Amino acid sequence: MTSPRPVALLDLDGTLMDSASGIVASVRAAYERVGLPVPSEAVMRSFAGPPLGWSLATHGVPAELLDDAAAAYADHFGRVGVWDTRVFDGIPQALTALREAGALLVVATAKPQRWAAPICDETGLTPLLDHLVGAPDDESESKGQIIGRALTWVREATGDAGFRAVMLGDREHDVHGAAEHGLPCLGAGWGYADGDELREAGAVEVLTSTSQVPAAVLARVTDRPA
């Protein structure tokens, strides 16, 4: 009898890569373009991860300016911010260990696909991944919807064997999105969550180092500890 395939769903910003500086610069450009006060550095860093429209609305952009602010962000990020990123130390080794253990690795990110794919190519992540699911260009989907599309691909890839999956992410949206599909979520404590955000959202465990990723993931998706 074939065992279910172990699957790790992976957030991108704040989990696999540190993209805060490019995001912060683009957020600043968006607020300046629409004539609103620029938020604090901490608030701008919190834009890494959640859907852009949610972040803008949550942090003071009125409904009538949302489209203009989002367009300004996209313009700056597409020209400059998209490349201002680096992979967190230890992530390539963690992904390699998971692949060697037989896990399928699927990115599920609220970053638009048109940016997420080339960033993964540029930083060398693509060869370590099995699939990538990003947001549509208008970032209209919730994290739960993005995870749902990732799981559709996983079901097709695993077929009759089935799978056991866990999410790894650094924000409450990852935890809540995974829960919509009955999946546990491991918290990436090196990311951009504020204080106890991940625990309060319901993360099953908050990791403090990328070196903990292989063991924590495999313990959730296999019948043996890593």
Side-chain angles (χ1 to χ4, degrees):
M1 181 175 180
T2 304
S3 299
R5 185 74 181 271
V7 175
L9 300 179
L10 307 162
D11 178 49
L12 191 60
D13 295 323
T15 300
L16 301 187
M17 57 177 53
D18 183 2
S19 50
S21 57
I23 289 170
V24 164
S26 299
V27 172
R28 181 179 291 110
Y31 277 79
E32 290 175 347
R33 180 81 63 85
V34 297
L36 293 174
V38 175
S40 68
E41 184 81 8
V43 167
M44 289 192 291
R45 284 176 62 86
S46 76
F47 276 66
L52 178 63
W54 179 90
S55 293
L56 290 169
T58 299
H59 297 295
V61 178
E64 64 271 17
L65 294 179
L66 281 176
D67 287 346
D68 288 343
Y73 176 94
D75 174 65
H76 188 276
F77 192 78
R79 291 183 295 103
V80 181
V82 64
W83 306 117
D84 190 1
T85 189
R86 70 176 187 87
V87 176
F88 282 114
D89 293 342
I91 285 297
Q93 294 85 348
L95 298 183
T96 298
L98 286 171
R99 288 287 289 276
E100 290 176 348
L104 275 179
L105 305 182
V106 180
V107 166
T109 175
K111 185 185 290 297
Q113 182 89 15
R114 64 185 170 118
W115 292 331
I119 288 172
C120 287
D121 289 344
E122 181 70 16
T123 58
L125 284 178
T126 298
L128 303 177
L129 303 169
D130 293 291
H131 193 57
L132 183 150
V133 176
D137 286 351
D138 62 3
E139 301 189 46
S140 58
E141 289 185 347
S142 68
K143 194 57 181 274
Q145 290 173 310
I146 293 165
I147 290 172
R149 288 197 288 114
L151 289 173
T152 295
W153 182 88
V154 169
R155 290 186 187 96
E156 293 174 352
T158 56
D160 293 339
F163 63 93
R164 290 175 62 181
V166 65
M167 180 77 195
L168 174 67
D170 73 307
R171 298 299 306 276
E172 62 179 309
H173 303 79
D174 300 307
V175 183
H176 297 321
E180 288 180 26
H181 301 278
L183 301 180
C185 184
L186 295 165
W190 53 88
Y192 308 133
D194 183 30
D196 291 330
E197 174 184 325
L198 288 164
R199 292 191 187 281
E200 291 174 356
V204 293
E205 183 181 356
V206 178
L207 311 182
T208 58
S209 168
T210 58
S211 65
Q212 297 174 307
V213 168
V217 167
L218 293 174
R220 297 283 172 180
V221 296
T222 65
D223 294 324
R224 59 174 176 81

mmCIF file of all heavy atoms in Angstrom, residues 93-127:
data_model
loop_
_atom_site.group_PDB
_atom_site.id
_atom_site.type_symbol
_atom_site.label_atom_id
_atom_site.label_comp_id
_atom_site.label_asym_id
_atom_site.label_seq_id
_atom_site.Cartn_x
_atom_site.Cartn_y
_atom_site.Cartn_z
ATOM 1 N N GLN A 93 19.406 24.709 2.221
ATOM 2 C CA GLN A 93 19.737 23.431 2.855
ATOM 3 C C GLN A 93 18.475 22.736 3.373
ATOM 4 O O GLN A 93 18.329 21.512 3.264
ATOM 5 C CB GLN A 93 20.726 23.660 3.992
ATOM 6 C CG GLN A 93 22.094 24.148 3.541
ATOM 7 C CD GLN A 93 22.179 25.658 3.364
ATOM 8 O OE1 GLN A 93 21.159 26.356 3.354
ATOM 9 N NE2 GLN A 93 23.399 26.164 3.228
ATOM 10 N N ALA A 94 17.550 23.530 3.957
ATOM 11 C CA ALA A 94 16.305 22.949 4.476
ATOM 12 C C ALA A 94 15.465 22.363 3.345
ATOM 13 O O ALA A 94 14.917 21.252 3.476
ATOM 14 C CB ALA A 94 15.512 24.020 5.224
ATOM 15 N N LEU A 95 15.350 23.082 2.230
ATOM 16 C CA LEU A 95 14.560 22.584 1.105
ATOM 17 C C LEU A 95 15.199 21.329 0.506
ATOM 18 O O LEU A 95 14.496 20.376 0.134
ATOM 19 C CB LEU A 95 14.421 23.674 0.048
ATOM 20 C CG LEU A 95 13.694 24.959 0.478
ATOM 21 C CD1 LEU A 95 13.580 25.915 -0.702
ATOM 22 C CD2 LEU A 95 12.321 24.653 1.067
ATOM 23 N N THR A 96 16.523 21.330 0.416
ATOM 24 C CA THR A 96 17.219 20.159 -0.108
ATOM 25 C C THR A 96 16.967 18.938 0.758
ATOM 26 O O THR A 96 16.701 17.834 0.253
ATOM 27 C CB THR A 96 18.730 20.442 -0.197
ATOM 28 O OG1 THR A 96 18.954 21.524 -1.109
ATOM 29 C CG2 THR A 96 19.483 19.219 -0.693
ATOM 30 N N ALA A 97 17.015 19.116 2.073
ATOM 31 C CA ALA A 97 16.774 18.002 2.990
ATOM 32 C C ALA A 97 15.352 17.467 2.845
ATOM 33 O O ALA A 97 15.129 16.247 2.871
ATOM 34 C CB ALA A 97 17.025 18.449 4.428
ATOM 35 N N LEU A 98 14.388 18.364 2.670
ATOM 36 C CA LEU A 98 13.000 17.933 2.510
ATOM 37 C C LEU A 98 12.805 17.187 1.194
ATOM 38 O O LEU A 98 12.098 16.167 1.138
ATOM 39 C CB LEU A 98 12.063 19.137 2.582
ATOM 40 C CG LEU A 98 11.869 19.727 3.980
ATOM 41 C CD1 LEU A 98 11.113 21.049 3.905
ATOM 42 C CD2 LEU A 98 11.126 18.743 4.886
ATOM 43 N N ARG A 99 13.414 17.690 0.132
ATOM 44 C CA ARG A 99 13.318 16.997 -1.155
ATOM 45 C C ARG A 99 13.926 15.605 -1.060
ATOM 46 O O ARG A 99 13.375 14.629 -1.586
ATOM 47 C CB ARG A 99 14.028 17.804 -2.247
ATOM 48 C CG ARG A 99 13.327 19.080 -2.693
ATOM 49 C CD ARG A 99 12.103 18.800 -3.528
ATOM 50 N NE ARG A 99 12.436 18.288 -4.841
ATOM 51 C CZ ARG A 99 12.754 19.043 -5.889
ATOM 52 N NH1 ARG A 99 12.802 20.367 -5.775
ATOM 53 N NH2 ARG A 99 13.031 18.505 -7.043
ATOM 54 N N GLU A 100 15.074 15.498 -0.385
ATOM 55 C CA GLU A 100 15.740 14.201 -0.252
ATOM 56 C C GLU A 100 14.907 13.226 0.576
ATOM 57 O O GLU A 100 15.032 12.008 0.417
ATOM 58 C CB GLU A 100 17.125 14.395 0.367
ATOM 59 C CG GLU A 100 18.102 15.085 -0.571
ATOM 60 C CD GLU A 100 19.440 15.374 0.070
ATOM 61 O OE1 GLU A 100 19.547 15.245 1.323
ATOM 62 O OE2 GLU A 100 20.386 15.746 -0.659
ATOM 63 N N ALA A 101 14.055 13.776 1.460
ATOM 64 C CA ALA A 101 13.170 12.939 2.272
ATOM 65 C C ALA A 101 11.881 12.582 1.536
ATOM 66 O O ALA A 101 11.013 11.902 2.090
ATOM 67 C CB ALA A 101 12.843 13.650 3.579
ATOM 68 N N GLY A 102 11.741 13.054 0.293
ATOM 69 C CA GLY A 102 10.601 12.691 -0.526
ATOM 70 C C GLY A 102 9.432 13.652 -0.495
ATOM 71 O O GLY A 102 8.361 13.347 -1.027
ATOM 72 N N ALA A 103 9.604 14.818 0.124
ATOM 73 C CA ALA A 103 8.504 15.777 0.224
ATOM 74 C C ALA A 103 8.337 16.575 -1.066
ATOM 75 O O ALA A 103 9.319 16.936 -1.719
ATOM 76 C CB ALA A 103 8.741 16.734 1.388
ATOM 77 N N LEU A 104 7.074 16.843 -1.407
ATOM 78 C CA LEU A 104 6.764 17.802 -2.462
ATOM 79 C C LEU A 104 6.804 19.196 -1.853
ATOM 80 O O LEU A 104 6.231 19.427 -0.780
ATOM 81 C CB LEU A 104 5.362 17.562 -3.023
ATOM 82 C CG LEU A 104 5.158 16.541 -4.124
ATOM 83 C CD1 LEU A 104 3.672 16.473 -4.474
ATOM 84 C CD2 LEU A 104 5.978 16.881 -5.356
ATOM 85 N N LEU A 105 7.462 20.133 -2.520
ATOM 86 C CA LEU A 105 7.607 21.494 -2.018
ATOM 87 C C LEU A 105 6.881 22.452 -2.946
ATOM 88 O O LEU A 105 7.248 22.597 -4.124
ATOM 89 C CB LEU A 105 9.089 21.869 -1.926
ATOM 90 C CG LEU A 105 9.965 20.921 -1.098
ATOM 91 C CD1 LEU A 105 11.405 21.434 -1.060
ATOM 92 C CD2 LEU A 105 9.415 20.754 0.313
ATOM 93 N N VAL A 106 5.850 23.107 -2.406
ATOM 94 C CA VAL A 106 4.992 23.970 -3.217
ATOM 95 C C VAL A 106 4.886 25.339 -2.553
ATOM 96 O O VAL A 106 4.412 25.450 -1.421
ATOM 97 C CB VAL A 106 3.585 23.354 -3.368
ATOM 98 C CG1 VAL A 106 2.700 24.260 -4.228
ATOM 99 C CG2 VAL A 106 3.672 21.955 -3.971
ATOM 100 N N VAL A 107 5.322 26.369 -3.246
ATOM 101 C CA VAL A 107 5.166 27.733 -2.742
ATOM 102 C C VAL A 107 3.732 28.184 -2.960
ATOM 103 O O VAL A 107 3.165 28.000 -4.052
ATOM 104 C CB VAL A 107 6.138 28.699 -3.440
ATOM 105 C CG1 VAL A 107 5.753 30.156 -3.187
ATOM 106 C CG2 VAL A 107 7.563 28.458 -2.960
ATOM 107 N N ALA A 108 3.138 28.767 -1.920
ATOM 108 C CA ALA A 108 1.811 29.386 -2.008
ATOM 109 C C ALA A 108 1.955 30.784 -1.438
ATOM 110 O O ALA A 108 2.030 30.972 -0.221
ATOM 111 C CB ALA A 108 0.784 28.585 -1.216
ATOM 112 N N THR A 109 2.045 31.770 -2.320
ATOM 113 C CA THR A 109 2.382 33.124 -1.907
ATOM 114 C C THR A 109 1.354 34.147 -2.381
ATOM 115 O O THR A 109 0.778 34.007 -3.466
ATOM 116 C CB THR A 109 3.773 33.530 -2.443
ATOM 117 O OG1 THR A 109 4.034 34.917 -2.132
ATOM 118 C CG2 THR A 109 3.865 33.357 -3.956
ATOM 119 N N ALA A 110 1.158 35.187 -1.552
ATOM 120 C CA ALA A 110 0.281 36.286 -1.931
ATOM 121 C C ALA A 110 0.979 37.285 -2.841
ATOM 122 O O ALA A 110 0.375 38.264 -3.258
ATOM 123 C CB ALA A 110 -0.256 36.993 -0.687
ATOM 124 N N LYS A 111 2.249 37.054 -3.139
ATOM 125 C CA LYS A 111 2.944 37.868 -4.136
ATOM 126 C C LYS A 111 2.454 37.450 -5.519
ATOM 127 O O LYS A 111 2.314 36.249 -5.791
ATOM 128 C CB LYS A 111 4.456 37.655 -4.029
ATOM 129 C CG LYS A 111 5.280 38.554 -4.959
ATOM 130 C CD LYS A 111 6.748 38.207 -4.888
ATOM 131 C CE LYS A 111 7.371 38.587 -3.566
ATOM 132 N NZ LYS A 111 7.343 40.027 -3.305
ATOM 133 N N PRO A 112 2.153 38.398 -6.394
ATOM 134 C CA PRO A 112 1.691 38.020 -7.729
ATOM 135 C C PRO A 112 2.642 37.051 -8.430
ATOM 136 O O PRO A 112 3.864 37.161 -8.304
ATOM 137 C CB PRO A 112 1.615 39.363 -8.468
ATOM 138 C CG PRO A 112 1.305 40.339 -7.384
ATOM 139 C CD PRO A 112 2.103 39.861 -6.194
ATOM 140 N N GLN A 113 2.072 36.111 -9.151
ATOM 141 C CA GLN A 113 2.847 35.115 -9.878
ATOM 142 C C GLN A 113 3.882 35.770 -10.790
ATOM 143 O O GLN A 113 5.006 35.276 -10.922
ATOM 144 C CB GLN A 113 1.899 34.248 -10.709
ATOM 145 C CG GLN A 113 2.552 33.123 -11.488
ATOM 146 C CD GLN A 113 2.659 31.851 -10.685
ATOM 147 O OE1 GLN A 113 2.021 31.694 -9.654
ATOM 148 N NE2 GLN A 113 3.465 30.920 -11.154
ATOM 149 N N ARG A 114 3.513 36.882 -11.391
ATOM 150 C CA ARG A 114 4.420 37.529 -12.364
ATOM 151 C C ARG A 114 5.688 38.033 -11.705
ATOM 152 O O ARG A 114 6.696 38.268 -12.389
ATOM 153 C CB ARG A 114 3.703 38.684 -13.076
ATOM 154 C CG ARG A 114 3.298 39.838 -12.159
ATOM 155 C CD ARG A 114 2.485 40.874 -12.917
ATOM 156 N NE ARG A 114 1.895 41.864 -12.048
ATOM 157 C CZ ARG A 114 2.181 43.170 -12.095
ATOM 158 N NH1 ARG A 114 3.061 43.612 -12.966
ATOM 159 N NH2 ARG A 114 1.577 44.008 -11.282
ATOM 160 N N TRP A 115 5.682 38.249 -10.395
ATOM 161 C CA TRP A 115 6.892 38.629 -9.669
ATOM 162 C C TRP A 115 7.508 37.443 -8.955
ATOM 163 O O TRP A 115 8.730 37.306 -8.897
ATOM 164 C CB TRP A 115 6.583 39.728 -8.652
ATOM 165 C CG TRP A 115 6.225 41.037 -9.253
ATOM 166 C CD1 TRP A 115 6.642 41.546 -10.455
ATOM 167 C CD2 TRP A 115 5.354 42.028 -8.699
ATOM 168 N NE1 TRP A 115 6.080 42.774 -10.683
ATOM 169 C CE2 TRP A 115 5.290 43.095 -9.622
ATOM 170 C CE3 TRP A 115 4.624 42.112 -7.510
ATOM 171 C CZ2 TRP A 115 4.536 44.237 -9.379
ATOM 172 C CZ3 TRP A 115 3.872 43.244 -7.260
ATOM 173 C CH2 TRP A 115 3.821 44.297 -8.185
ATOM 174 N N ALA A 116 6.681 36.574 -8.388
ATOM 175 C CA ALA A 116 7.202 35.469 -7.586
ATOM 176 C C ALA A 116 8.064 34.520 -8.415
ATOM 177 O O ALA A 116 9.131 34.090 -7.956
ATOM 178 C CB ALA A 116 6.052 34.701 -6.941
ATOM 179 N N ALA A 117 7.619 34.186 -9.622
ATOM 180 C CA ALA A 117 8.361 33.227 -10.434
ATOM 181 C C ALA A 117 9.751 33.734 -10.812
ATOM 182 O O ALA A 117 10.749 33.030 -10.602
ATOM 183 C CB ALA A 117 7.555 32.855 -11.674
ATOM 184 N N PRO A 118 9.893 34.962 -11.345
ATOM 185 C CA PRO A 118 11.240 35.419 -11.683
ATOM 186 C C PRO A 118 12.140 35.627 -10.475
ATOM 187 O O PRO A 118 13.356 35.450 -10.568
ATOM 188 C CB PRO A 118 10.999 36.734 -12.437
ATOM 189 C CG PRO A 118 9.614 37.149 -12.127
ATOM 190 C CD PRO A 118 8.856 35.894 -11.852
ATOM 191 N N ILE A 119 11.555 35.999 -9.321
ATOM 192 C CA ILE A 119 12.372 36.141 -8.114
ATOM 193 C C ILE A 119 12.942 34.782 -7.715
ATOM 194 O O ILE A 119 14.130 34.672 -7.360
ATOM 195 C CB ILE A 119 11.536 36.729 -6.965
ATOM 196 C CG1 ILE A 119 11.238 38.204 -7.220
ATOM 197 C CG2 ILE A 119 12.269 36.588 -5.631
ATOM 198 C CD1 ILE A 119 10.265 38.801 -6.221
ATOM 199 N N CYS A 120 12.126 33.754 -7.750
ATOM 200 C CA CYS A 120 12.614 32.418 -7.409
ATOM 201 C C CYS A 120 13.675 31.958 -8.403
ATOM 202 O O CYS A 120 14.654 31.301 -8.016
ATOM 203 C CB CYS A 120 11.467 31.421 -7.346
ATOM 204 S SG CYS A 120 10.412 31.637 -5.884
ATOM 205 N N ASP A 121 13.504 32.300 -9.670
ATOM 206 C CA ASP A 121 14.523 31.977 -10.673
ATOM 207 C C ASP A 121 15.831 32.692 -10.346
ATOM 208 O O ASP A 121 16.907 32.077 -10.333
ATOM 209 C CB ASP A 121 14.056 32.409 -12.071
ATOM 210 C CG ASP A 121 12.939 31.545 -12.624
ATOM 211 O OD1 ASP A 121 12.715 30.438 -12.087
ATOM 212 O OD2 ASP A 121 12.287 31.987 -13.587
ATOM 213 N N GLU A 122 15.729 33.989 -10.078
ATOM 214 C CA GLU A 122 16.917 34.823 -9.870
ATOM 215 C C GLU A 122 17.693 34.412 -8.621
ATOM 216 O O GLU A 122 18.928 34.453 -8.604
ATOM 217 C CB GLU A 122 16.495 36.290 -9.749
ATOM 218 C CG GLU A 122 17.632 37.278 -9.555
ATOM 219 C CD GLU A 122 18.497 37.452 -10.799
ATOM 220 O OE1 GLU A 122 18.052 37.043 -11.897
ATOM 221 O OE2 GLU A 122 19.620 37.968 -10.669
ATOM 222 N N THR A 123 16.987 34.023 -7.560
ATOM 223 C CA THR A 123 17.647 33.693 -6.300
ATOM 224 C C THR A 123 18.041 32.224 -6.182
ATOM 225 O O THR A 123 18.611 31.806 -5.169
ATOM 226 C CB THR A 123 16.738 34.048 -5.103
ATOM 227 O OG1 THR A 123 15.498 33.336 -5.222
ATOM 228 C CG2 THR A 123 16.465 35.538 -5.060
ATOM 229 N N GLY A 124 17.745 31.437 -7.201
ATOM 230 C CA GLY A 124 18.138 30.038 -7.198
ATOM 231 C C GLY A 124 17.198 29.105 -6.461
ATOM 232 O O GLY A 124 17.524 27.929 -6.256
ATOM 233 N N LEU A 125 16.005 29.580 -6.106
ATOM 234 C CA LEU A 125 15.053 28.722 -5.402
ATOM 235 C C LEU A 125 14.321 27.757 -6.333
ATOM 236 O O LEU A 125 13.950 26.655 -5.920
ATOM 237 C CB LEU A 125 14.022 29.565 -4.655
ATOM 238 C CG LEU A 125 14.465 30.230 -3.356
ATOM 239 C CD1 LEU A 125 13.316 31.057 -2.787
ATOM 240 C CD2 LEU A 125 14.925 29.196 -2.339
ATOM 241 N N THR A 126 14.095 28.164 -7.564
ATOM 242 C CA THR A 126 13.255 27.379 -8.476
ATOM 243 C C THR A 126 13.665 25.911 -8.583
ATOM 244 O O THR A 126 12.806 25.025 -8.531
ATOM 245 C CB THR A 126 13.209 28.035 -9.864
ATOM 246 O OG1 THR A 126 12.622 29.335 -9.749
ATOM 247 C CG2 THR A 126 12.382 27.207 -10.839
ATOM 248 N N PRO A 127 14.965 25.581 -8.727
ATOM 249 C CA PRO A 127 15.329 24.165 -8.841
ATOM 250 C C PRO A 127 15.047 23.348 -7.586
ATOM 251 O O PRO A 127 15.038 22.116 -7.640
ATOM 252 C CB PRO A 127 16.843 24.217 -9.117
ATOM 253 C CG PRO A 127 17.100 25.576 -9.653
ATOM 254 C CD PRO A 127 16.130 26.468 -8.940
#
